[in-house]
Amino acid sequence: MTASLAAPMLKANGAEIPAIGLGTSRLLGADCVRAVETALSVGYRHIDTAVMYRNETEVGEALRGSGLRRDEIFVTTKVLPGDIGAGDLQKSARASLGRLGLDDVNLLLIHWPNKAIPLKDSVAALCDARKQGLARNIGVANFPTAMLDASVRLAAEHGEKLVANQCEYHPRLDQTKLLAASRAHGVALVSYCPVGQGAFLSDGAIAAVAKRHGKTPAQVILRWHMQQPGVAAIPRSAQRAHQIENIDVFDFDLSADEMKAVSSLASPNGRIIRPASEPDWD
């Protein structure tokens, strides 16, 4: 790993999370193994998976094949929304550890809220999973502000702190309210779809910023994430060149005006991920 490609650590309620990670959604089989192995070889130290992705076994194989020590890699996995009740969440976490071949994960998340399961039960189970040693840190994903506030309060009742809320975030999706709440709680906002699945890499404003810095549009957008306090990002890529591009964003800075130019792309209809059952977004 070269120093220029080493992502800094984001501190959140006692956790240290590498600011850039590899998302593995839709990476399957041998392609997943190769992508994770390649990412680790070029400097990634944060790997994100989930039961929903059906690739925990492959991620585990890549971790073992990397030659890196366990304490060098930050591993996140997530529990299916149907398995976040008392007992079910802990069972799911143990099964994930079996597939990953790990004694614990660095971060265990509730993948999506589930209106059919009381939040207090889900958070209690999540806290218990950490107490059992299944995860070093715990958090949530796809939680709007009101649910994040409630989850932080419920976790505190069990003597625990949430360290992350993994959510869709990119220049077309305004997350100002959620960011403010996350910072108030000391919780990291981990951005998935951080470059909007490439939907606006040809945007003229971003292209102009990229040209000034001798960078690509994707690098400008990821730098925009990195310069926001309390924000990490997990772009997905199976290609070595793109992985290097995505992590090589720490040798330049965007000006205040450039940050505003990227943020100005926010749209009322900017959300990309819209599952059939979704929470009441901010």
Side-chain angles (χ1 to χ4, degrees):
M1 179 175 63
T2 60
S4 63
L5 297 185
M9 305 299 280
L10 181 66
K11 295 184 178 181
N13 283 334
E16 291 192 346
I17 305 171
I20 289 278
L22 179 74
T24 64
S25 172
R26 299 204 296 273
L27 294 177
L28 299 172
D31 290 338
C32 179
V33 176
R34 283 192 296 269
V36 175
E37 287 181 337
T38 300
L40 292 170
S41 75
V42 302
Y44 285 74
R45 293 297 180 264
H46 177 179
I47 305 297
D48 180 89
T49 183
V51 176
M52 189 178 291
Y53 302 163
R54 296 181 290 115
N55 62 14
E56 289 175 311
T57 298
E58 289 78 9
V59 168
E61 180 181 341
L63 296 176
R64 290 188 295 277
S66 71
L68 294 168
R69 300 189 312 273
R70 173 66 185 92
D71 62 5
E72 294 182 89
I73 310 173
F74 190 100
V75 180
T76 299
T77 196
K78 300 179 283 293
V79 180
L80 288 167
D83 292 333
I84 60 175
D88 291 337
L89 185 147
Q90 297 94 319
K91 181 179 178 181
S92 175
R94 284 190 289 270
S96 288
L97 294 179
R99 288 187 289 269
L100 287 163
L102 299 176
D103 293 329
D104 58 25
V105 289
N106 297 81
L107 181 57
L108 179 67
L109 304 178
I110 292 172
H111 202 154
W112 285 89
N114 185 338
K115 295 177 181 178
I117 299 174
L119 184 61
K120 64 180 180 61
D121 294 347
S122 297
V123 174
L126 186 65
C127 292
D128 182 64
R130 204 204 71 80
K131 292 181 189 299
Q132 287 189 32
L134 305 177
R136 302 178 191 182
N137 302 282
I138 53 175
V140 295
N142 300 296
F143 274 37
T145 299
M147 293 194 73
L148 177 63
D149 291 342
S151 299
V152 167
R153 183 181 68 252
L154 289 165
E157 292 176 1
H158 295 275
E160 299 290 344
K161 290 184 177 181
L162 305 184
V163 307
N165 185 13
Q166 187 182 120
C167 294
E168 179 182 345
Y169 185 36
H170 46 73
R172 288 234 173 120
L173 181 59
D174 184 357
Q175 290 282 31
T176 302
K177 185 176 179 181
L178 187 59
L179 278 166
S182 299
R183 290 167 184 153
H185 294 306
V187 170
L189 192 153
V190 181
S191 309
Y192 70 78
C193 293
V195 296
Q197 297 183 345
F200 43 83
L201 293 181
S202 60
D203 180 88
I206 291 176
V209 175
K211 184 176 181 180
R212 282 197 293 274
H213 289 279
K215 292 289 185 176
T216 67
Q219 287 174 316
V220 167
I221 295 170
L222 289 169
R223 184 64 207 172
W224 172 81
H225 283 278
M226 296 300 97
Q227 286 186 217
Q228 297 179 64
V231 175
I234 48 169
R236 182 190 72 240
S237 177
Q239 303 301 317
R240 185 177 190 274
H242 288 160
Q243 290 176 353
I244 292 173
E245 174 187 346
N246 289 344
I247 203 172
D248 191 16
V249 295
F250 300 104
D251 60 349
F252 73 107
D253 292 296
L254 301 180
S255 69
D257 285 344
E258 288 170 335
M259 290 290 289
K260 289 179 182 177
V262 178
S263 297
S264 70
L265 298 175
S267 164
N269 299 311
R271 191 174 295 280
I272 296 171
I273 307 301
R274 304 301 300 259
S277 177
E278 58 185 348
D280 298 322
W281 301 116
D282 292 308

